[in-house]
Amino acid sequence: KRTNSARCWQGKRGGADLDRDTRKYTSRGASASVRAGGAWRGAHTIAGRPMAAGAPAPRWLPGTSGSDSSTNGTGQCELHQLHRDVHPSRWCVTRKDLRLFEREVREAWQRGEIPNSMDFPSTSHDDPAIGPTIYQVNEYYIKPKTLRAGGMSWALLHHPEGCKCDVFVTHCWAEGVFEFCNKVHRMWPSSARYLYCCFLANPQNADISAVLDDDSMQPPFALALSGAKHLLVLPNQSVSIYTRLWCVFEAHEALKYDLKIVLPWRPRAKDTCKMMLPGFALLLGALMFAACRPLDTATWRLFDRLSYVHHVQLAYILHVIGSQHLPKITSWVLLLVIGLHLGLWVWNIR
């Protein structure tokens, strides 16, 4: 049995119910037939597990047995031909693809086509900033869409020729899909073009676990990691990614390959505005207060006393003292001091 908790760490990221029809598909010039039956005979094997009868072994997996195997009763679709021909390090998407994915998922979610899980309900399912979990998105959006197209992954559906991996993202499927997309957009390295993400890269309707569980260290994610330049580490509000063995192992492999590891540091625009607007209001208020004072003797005496205060040094001392314990209030006080200093200059010019 597969449960949400088991899928997090056992590496079986996706699967499918058995489709008992014979389907024809065409994907940008690549056409074949997908035959999904209750059992397959005379199958090749990957890592000791059967593939569809008569299907050639993936070209990117060395040492694959070509001998006949026992019946496969797992109820999985045949591994798509594109995933045999295209190297796993090229199962990637672009930034534009990710925006398209987010838009289509949000539209499906707003129509009620992506329900909350009955067994493992998410408290943030209806939050537009977080959204449904990757589990639910995979079950109700990715798998139906890619199955109708022929059974390839979402990434190869849009790029049948593949795209060379620049960025690998490690994350947890318990996170919200909108939270995931927002953080990836903010963390995306400026020099990178193509991103490998497991739920978009892997064929979710096929028995991808046969490749993931291979002991020869040749699963798709390992091959993608070996060719990447950056690793994005995406935390979430639901669970620590470091409690997931796959995430820990991916981070270990990234360190081994000496990848540039990117952690979330850039705040959201609305959070920045929420903190900075009061500060700018204080700055402008202090500036206007000082600059618009009347040009009389009393004001001159007041500003003459204030001129003995070294505002730059005062701002630095305030920063050192308060930034660790009261960063927000310290920032506001600094802007107030800067505004007052600028106002003094304007008054002197007047």
Side-chain angles (χ1 to χ4, degrees):
K1 289 186 178 180
R2 292 167 62 238
T3 64
N4 281 14
S5 59
R7 281 181 293 182
C8 286
W9 62 272
Q10 286 181 335
K12 299 185 179 181
R13 301 184 174 186
D17 297 328
L18 179 62
D19 184 359
R20 299 183 182 278
D21 298 324
T22 300
R23 283 182 165 80
K24 299 284 184 180
Y25 64 83
T26 302
S27 175
R28 296 191 185 183
S31 63
S33 63
V34 176
R35 182 176 183 83
W40 295 310
R41 300 184 181 277
H44 292 302
T45 60
I46 295 182
R49 299 195 179 193
M51 286 174 53
R59 298 175 186 175
W60 48 266
L61 187 62
T64 302
S65 171
S67 59
D68 288 348
S69 175
S70 58
T71 300
N72 184 353
T74 61
Q76 302 288 341
C77 291
E78 178 185 344
L79 188 65
H80 195 279
Q81 183 65 36
L82 286 174
H83 289 278
R84 300 191 185 97
D85 296 340
V86 180
H87 194 272
S89 64
R90 301 182 66 86
W91 301 354
C92 298
V93 296
T94 65
R95 207 166 186 172
K96 183 179 179 181
D97 296 333
L98 190 62
R99 292 193 181 95
L100 172 65
F101 169 79
E102 181 181 6
R103 183 171 66 251
E104 291 183 352
V105 169
R106 191 177 290 276
E107 290 172 355
W109 171 70
Q110 291 173 343
R111 292 193 299 267
E113 297 175 2
I114 306 178
N116 202 353
S117 172
M118 299 296 291
D119 298 326
F120 301 92
S122 170
T123 57
S124 304
H125 179 85
D126 297 323
D127 188 340
I130 299 177
T133 65
I134 303 298
Y135 292 119
Q136 299 303 103
V137 172
N138 181 52
E139 193 69 30
Y140 292 97
Y141 168 76
I142 297 177
K143 286 162 67 173
K145 182 179 180 68
T146 55
L147 185 62
R148 287 193 299 268
M152 74 291 287
S153 68
W154 197 93
L156 290 188
L157 170 64
H158 292 81
H159 300 280
E161 70 287 354
C163 306
K164 182 173 174 56
C165 178
D166 295 319
V167 186
F168 187 100
V169 57
T170 180
H171 66 106
C172 176
W173 280 40
E175 70 196 343
V177 64
F178 305 140
E179 178 187 17
F180 168 86
C181 293
N182 179 273
K183 288 181 178 177
V184 170
H185 286 311
R186 283 157 43 203
M187 296 168 59
W188 194 297
S190 58
S191 61
R193 296 184 60 189
Y194 305 113
L195 175 137
Y196 182 99
C197 174
C198 59
F199 63 86
L200 297 177
N202 294 335
Q204 301 298 339
N205 291 293
D207 186 16
I208 192 62
S209 62
V211 180
L212 287 173
D213 291 345
D214 183 21
D215 293 332
S216 65
M217 287 299 297
Q218 295 295 328
F221 85 90
L223 295 170
L225 260 174
S226 65
K229 300 175 183 176
H230 307 268
L231 174 74
L232 302 189
V233 180
L234 260 67
N236 63 83
Q237 300 186 22
S238 302
V239 63
S240 170
I241 61 173
Y242 302 110
T243 63
R244 297 296 187 254
L245 295 184
W246 273 109
C247 296
V248 174
F249 186 64
E250 288 167 352
H252 166 74
E253 290 295 293
L255 290 173
K256 186 173 74 174
Y257 292 125
D258 197 24
L259 270 61
K260 295 179 181 178
I261 298 179
V262 183
L263 299 171
W265 61 271
R266 190 177 300 168
R268 292 180 296 181
K270 70 174 185 178
D271 294 335
T272 304
C273 292
K274 188 183 295 184
M275 192 193 80
M276 294 303 295
L277 282 177
F280 279 116
L282 288 171
L283 185 148
L284 290 175
L287 190 153
M288 297 299 295
F289 169 79
C292 298
R293 296 291 296 175
L295 301 174
D296 55 18
T297 305
T299 305
W300 180 83
R301 289 174 180 170
L302 172 63
F303 286 172
D304 186 54
R305 294 190 185 98
L306 289 177
S307 65
Y308 289 105
V309 179
H310 297 281
H311 297 93
V312 176
Q313 289 86 336
L314 176 62
Y316 176 74
I317 292 171
L318 289 172
H319 170 73
V320 172
I321 295 174
S323 60
Q324 294 295 325
H325 305 289
L326 299 170
K328 186 182 295 186
I329 295 177
T330 303
S331 298
W332 292 345
V333 173
L334 291 179
L335 291 171
L336 179 65
V337 172
I338 293 171
L340 186 61
H341 185 70
L342 293 175
L344 285 173
W345 276 98
V346 174
W347 189 84
N348 284 324
I349 292 172
R350 288 177 59 206

